[in-house]
Amino acid sequence: MPQPSLKIDRARYVISVDDQRRIIRDGSILIENGRISRVGRADELAAAGADRVIDARHFVVTPGFVNGHMHISYAHPVRGIFPDDLGSPLKQVFALQMAMTEEEEYHTTLLALLELVRNGTVCLLDPGSTKFPDACLQAYEDAGVRVIMGEAVTDREAPFAQPRYTTAEGITRTAAFIDKWNGRLDGRLRAWAMPFSPETCSAELLQGLKRVVDERGTGLTLHHGSGPQARKDYQGRGAKNPTEYLEALGVLGPNVLLAHALGLDDAEVDCVARTGAAVTMCPVTAAKGARGATALGRMPELLARGVRVALGCDSPNNSNHLDPVRTMNMAAIQYKDARQDIRLVPAETALEMGTRLGLGDEIGAIEAGKRADLVLFDTRRPEWQALWNPVNNLIYNTDGRSVHTVVIDGRVVVDDYRQSFVDEGRLFATVQEIGERLQSRTGITFPRSRWPVV
């Protein structure tokens, strides 16, 4: 049967992020067969009918948000257990992940999807951390989201638990994963190659995985960073720096997404720009993890060179929230303060990074022909008052709590603040129990608080 049509009618503002970057006052959007068929002033679309009409007079409408780096499957049951003075919790994080069962991963993934969708996220990229994709597929289908996923592979020793294979096996497994998963969920699921990092993967593995994605027309992502010590280490291996090392291997290109990308120098920024690679930066997790984002991050320089920069929330173990609006806010304010230049990363650029500069050309803007992925913000809340510049209000004043409606692929998945794909109270209790079992099973636990819990 054909998909019901939908009309978003008389929105207070439609922030289109289209090629002209139009902000349409009193705007309407007509959605047919999962795509935007018309968008314009309400009087221009007054005669257009639909199976369902949403009165949007009190709403600001934006494209749906893209989370470009998100370890989805294992964080929620132990969220917040790591004390601030622990240092890097990665060793414990990955040990907890490896200990999870199939059923546990399904429920924790479902909770992450609930938080993501209710905050306006329509698409996420999980960089290979899901152990049981068959079990989690139902969660992705129920939530209606778009997801980019893969199987994490390494063929070198890592400082924490990671799936390790021979080089040939890593390439073969990745090719098989992509062939099995790419295009499922009516095209909402994309499968990519996901080597963990250049340090945990041989040159042969990286090159083999790049061939796999080039042949199949898909993508590759990996964790990537640089800095003075990293450059010194790579020079000892005959490379100028980590980024140009990847370029020399032929691994960089328009279908490659570098996650984090902290510590790049000018030559590495030039390298990313000339190869056409994209970058996902995680400003909140970098700040909370004391990664020196404002000292080592080159977001303004990457943007100035025309590099596609997306935003990610990383893992709730680290950033501890999955709110794309708060992430865009951090991206917009971080460098202003660090460099004492209020002109850096304006609100409009932060919104572009959260939508248009994400992970494909079929979403990210409200214009005819795009997939209908939309977020409707309720302006009948104090943080939206007074409303003169809706982009400033969105980026600097609000957060995901004012997300009223979310549309993905033309289907309403959050309606009047409510979703219908999971029993929230029951899920919360289940994940709490999973957290107790996981800590007991692994012995990885910490005091509940520095203050006495009585």
Side-chain angles (χ1 to χ4, degrees), residues 322-355:
L322 301 180
D323 187 336
V325 182
R326 291 173 65 187
T327 301
M328 290 186 290
N329 171 268
M330 180 66 86
I333 66 176
Q334 218 167 37
Y335 293 93
K336 288 179 172 65
D337 177 63
R339 303 187 187 182
Q340 297 183 352
D341 186 346
I342 199 168
R343 298 167 299 177
L344 293 179
V345 192
E348 292 83 1
T349 300
L351 180 56
E352 289 172 335
M353 287 190 286
T355 55

Side-chain angles (χ1 to χ4, degrees), residues 14 16 18 22 24 27-30 36-41 44-45 366-368:
V14 175
S16 70
D18 63 7
R22 293 180 301 161
I24 305 169
S28 292
I29 305 162
L30 184 63
I36 298 167
S37 58
R38 297 177 64 188
V39 56
R41 294 291 300 270
E44 299 171 350
L45 276 69
I366 303 175
E367 57 187 357

Side-chain angles (χ1 to χ4, degrees), residues 205-217:
L205 178 57
L206 294 171
Q207 290 170 323
L209 296 181
K210 182 61 161 61
R211 286 194 298 271
V212 167
V213 300
D214 288 345
E215 291 166 358
R216 288 161 174 76

Side-chain angles (χ1 to χ4, degrees), residues 65-101:
F65 302 122
V66 176
N67 190 333
H69 188 81
M70 162 66 199
H71 296 270
I72 188 172
S73 62
Y74 57 84
H76 279 75
V78 291
R79 184 184 234 175
I81 71 168
F82 302 118
D84 286 339
D85 57 1
L86 175 65
S88 174
L90 285 180
K91 184 176 181 180
Q92 292 92 339
V93 163
F94 287 110
L96 288 162
Q97 176 201 2
M98 297 299 286
M100 291 192 73
T101 68

Side-chain angles (χ1 to χ4, degrees), residues 376-392:
L376 280 63
F377 287 88
D378 189 349
T379 64
R380 295 167 296 186
R381 296 172 59 93
E383 65 266 27
W384 282 96
Q385 315 309 321
L387 179 50
W388 307 108
N389 180 334
V391 179
N392 275 0

Side-chain angles (χ1 to χ4, degrees), residues 51-364:
D51 296 312
R52 178 181 177 184
V53 177
I54 295 177
D55 181 353
R57 285 174 294 175
H58 299 292
F59 298 148
V60 168
V61 187
T62 73
F65 302 122
V66 176
N67 190 333
H69 188 81
M70 162 66 199
H71 296 270
I72 188 172
S73 62
Y74 57 84
H76 279 75
V78 291
R79 184 184 234 175
I81 71 168
F82 302 118
D84 286 339
D85 57 1
L86 175 65
S88 174
L90 285 180
K91 184 176 181 180
Q92 292 92 339
V93 163
F94 287 110
L96 288 162
Q97 176 201 2
M98 297 299 286
M100 291 192 73
T101 68
E102 186 173 358
E103 182 182 6
E104 289 170 343
E105 186 173 72
Y106 165 78
H107 284 105
T108 57
T109 294
L110 197 60
L111 180 52
L113 290 171
L114 171 63
E115 183 176 356
L116 287 162
V117 170
R118 289 190 57 171
N119 283 320
T121 299
V122 302
C123 178
L124 65 113
L125 186 153
D126 175 10
S129 58
T130 297
K131 291 169 55 184
F132 304 105
D134 290 280
C136 295
L137 182 66
Q138 188 63 51
Y140 296 132
E141 184 170 11
D142 291 343
V145 298
R146 302 183 189 280
V147 59
I148 299 171
M149 60 190 300
E151 183 176 19
V153 293
T154 70
D155 62 350
R156 285 181 171 175
E157 185 176 351
F160 33 74
Q162 281 292 303
R164 185 176 176 186
Y165 308 101
T166 67
T167 302
E169 188 180 8
I171 295 169
T172 301
R173 292 181 68 96
T174 296
F177 189 98
I178 292 172
D179 292 342
K180 176 180 178 180
W181 293 101
N182 197 43
R184 295 182 69 170
L185 299 181
D186 297 323
R188 295 196 311 277
L189 194 156
R190 301 291 181 183
W192 283 20
M194 295 186 171
F196 187 80
S197 69
E199 292 75 31
T200 59
C201 297
S202 67
E204 293 76 17
L205 178 57
L206 294 171
Q207 290 170 323
L209 296 181
K210 182 61 161 61
R211 286 194 298 271
V212 167
V213 300
D214 288 345
E215 291 166 358
R216 288 161 174 76
T218 184
L220 179 151
T221 189
L222 72 168
H223 297 79
H224 182 67
S226 187
Q229 185 58 50
R231 285 188 284 273
K232 183 178 180 180
D233 293 343
Y234 273 77
Q235 287 163 8
R237 296 160 53 183
K240 293 182 181 178
N241 54 59
T243 312
E244 290 182 270
Y245 166 76
L246 292 177
E247 182 185 26
L249 294 181
V251 172
L252 296 185
N255 60 348
V256 174
L257 182 69
L258 304 175
H260 300 299
L262 294 176
L264 305 185
D265 63 14
D266 290 342
E268 290 174 285
V269 170
D270 291 342
C271 177
V272 175
R274 68 173 169 262
T275 59
V279 168
T280 289
M281 306 195 84
C282 302
V284 177
T285 194
K288 183 177 181 295
R291 298 286 304 280
T294 52
L296 302 175
R298 306 298 300 281
M299 183 183 290
E301 288 78 10
L302 289 163
L303 291 166
R305 291 297 312 274
V307 173
R308 292 168 292 140
V309 180
L311 298 176
C313 290
D314 205 4
S315 168
N317 279 324
N318 201 340
S319 69
N320 288 322
H321 71 71
L322 301 180
D323 187 336
V325 182
R326 291 173 65 187
T327 301
M328 290 186 290
N329 171 268
M330 180 66 86
I333 66 176
Q334 218 167 37
Y335 293 93
K336 288 179 172 65
D337 177 63
R339 303 187 187 182
Q340 297 183 352
D341 186 346
I342 199 168
R343 298 167 299 177
L344 293 179
V345 192
E348 292 83 1
T349 300
L351 180 56
E352 289 172 335
M353 287 190 286
T355 55
R356 190 174 179 101
L357 299 184
L359 303 171
D361 57 5
E362 285 230 311
I363 61 175

